Amino acid sequence: MKEKLIKQLNHSYSPYSHFRVAALLQMKDGREFLGNNIENASYGVTICAERVAIFTAIAAGYHRNDFASLFIMCDNEKIGMPCFACRQVFTEFFLQDMPITVMNPNGESKTFTVAELCPYPFNEDDLK
Ligand code: ZN
């Protein structure tokens, strides 16, 4: 896991922040999807590594609740947490008890459930 994420950090396109992030998404059927952050000169269209991995899985035909676990690595001594745009996407596709592990290249990590990261989600129920 750690080595796959470290390798994926090299795909980060982060010429503005120089903050490299990689994500690895495990599906319930065992398939894995990798992602990395992709920045843009128009900062607002930058996309995080987690969302690249999730959207790639969705584009490959997976659906809500097909996801087993997510691992995120920031190329930093500090263990970075997912931003709230990503947390909103987690609530769209992940079950509340799905584990999300955040780690650094040294292998230090913390694991949370979706419910812990997204305690009061805005979701389809709010649109009724
Ligand atoms: Zn994010």
Side-chain angles (χ1 to χ4, degrees):
M1 185 67 52
K2 177 183 157 190
E3 297 310 315
K4 288 180 184 177
L5 285 162
I6 288 172
K7 188 175 174 188
Q8 190 65 26
L9 287 173
N10 293 321
H11 294 273
S12 169
Y13 179 75
S14 45
Y16 307 106
S17 73
H18 306 288
F19 187 76
R20 303 187 310 159
V21 185
L24 190 153
L25 185 59
Q26 291 182 321
M27 310 306 291
K28 288 179 179 172
D29 68 3
R31 193 163 168 192
E32 294 179 342
F33 290 92
L34 289 160
N36 48 266
N37 57 328
I38 303 171
E39 296 183 343
N40 193 283
S42 176
Y43 291 176
V45 296
T46 291
I47 187 166
C48 301
E50 305 92 299
R51 281 181 283 147
V52 169
I54 294 165
F55 295 161
T56 302
I58 295 296
Y62 287 91
H63 301 97
R64 176 187 286 187
N65 304 336
D66 287 338
F67 303 92
S69 57
L70 175 66
F71 297 82
I72 304 162
M73 178 183 284
C74 296
D75 189 14
N76 199 325
E77 294 263 326
K78 189 176 169 187
I79 297 173
M81 295 297 291
C83 79
F84 282 78
C86 288
R87 295 184 201 204
Q88 181 63 37
V89 172
F90 298 165
T91 66
E92 185 75 21
F93 297 112
F94 297 164
L95 293 173
Q96 289 287 294
D97 62 349
M98 193 185 109
I100 296 174
T101 300
V102 289
M103 60 195 308
N104 65 17
N106 297 328
E108 297 165 323
S109 67
K110 294 179 184 171
T111 300
F112 303 90
T113 64
V114 171
E116 288 173 321
L117 292 178
C118 317
Y120 299 102
F122 175 82
N123 59 29
E124 62 196 34
D125 294 334
D126 294 298
L127 297 175
K128 293 177 183 167

